[in-house]
Amino acid sequence: MPKQDWFSLATQMWLTTLEAQQVMALRTAKMMRGGAEAGPEMRQMVEEKIEAAVKAHQSGLEMMLAGNGGQIPRKTVSHYRRKIQANRRRLLKEL
């Protein structure tokens, strides 16, 4: 992987971390409000984490078997970032 790709990957990881912190804050606020929406949000959070991890693992294995192991870091960060961004959009709409 060329050096510029590592810098791009690091930037994407940094942005993913910032967005994940926003999602954590939004989810915490939603759960602290309680009510009927708190329980389903917690279940969804756990289910999404398990599903995302399984899909990332499966995708990584497929890339390794195809001889594309160098793509695993970028694809993994991209996979998680899409999920995080979708949650951020959804939670912001619910404010």
Side-chain angles (χ1 to χ4, degrees), residues 30-31 33-42 94:
K30 184 175 183 174
M31 287 185 260
R33 285 192 302 262
E37 295 179 5
E41 184 66 34
M42 286 189 277
E94 295 175 4

Side-chain angles (χ1 to χ4, degrees), residues 8-25 49 76-78 80-85 88:
S8 175
L9 176 63
T11 302
Q12 292 305 310
M13 290 173 69
W14 181 74
L15 291 170
T16 301
T17 301
L18 291 177
E19 292 163 345
Q21 290 174 357
Q22 292 172 339
V23 170
M24 289 173 6
K49 288 183 186 312
T76 301
V77 172
S78 176
Y80 279 103
R81 188 159 187 223
R82 280 192 307 274
K83 299 290 184 182
I84 290 167
Q85 288 174 331
R88 184 173 170 266

Side-chain angles (χ1 to χ4, degrees), residues 27-93:
R27 277 190 159 148
T28 299
K30 184 175 183 174
M31 287 185 260
M32 287 180 67
R33 285 192 302 262
E37 295 179 5
E41 184 66 34
M42 286 189 277
R43 279 189 294 282
Q44 179 178 348
M45 177 179 62
V46 172
E47 290 170 0
E48 285 175 348
K49 288 183 186 312
I50 293 169
E51 180 183 331
V54 168
K55 285 185 179 180
H57 182 74
Q58 179 183 8
S59 176
L61 286 174
E62 290 171 359
M63 284 185 275
M64 282 181 65
L65 292 172
N68 298 322
Q71 295 179 12
I72 294 172
R74 182 182 54 81
K75 295 262 185 173
T76 301
V77 172
S78 176
H79 171 73
Y80 279 103
R81 188 159 187 223
R82 280 192 307 274
K83 299 290 184 182
I84 290 167
Q85 288 174 331
N87 276 319
R88 184 173 170 266
R89 283 190 299 272
R90 177 182 58 82
L91 289 163
L92 284 171
K93 285 181 185 177

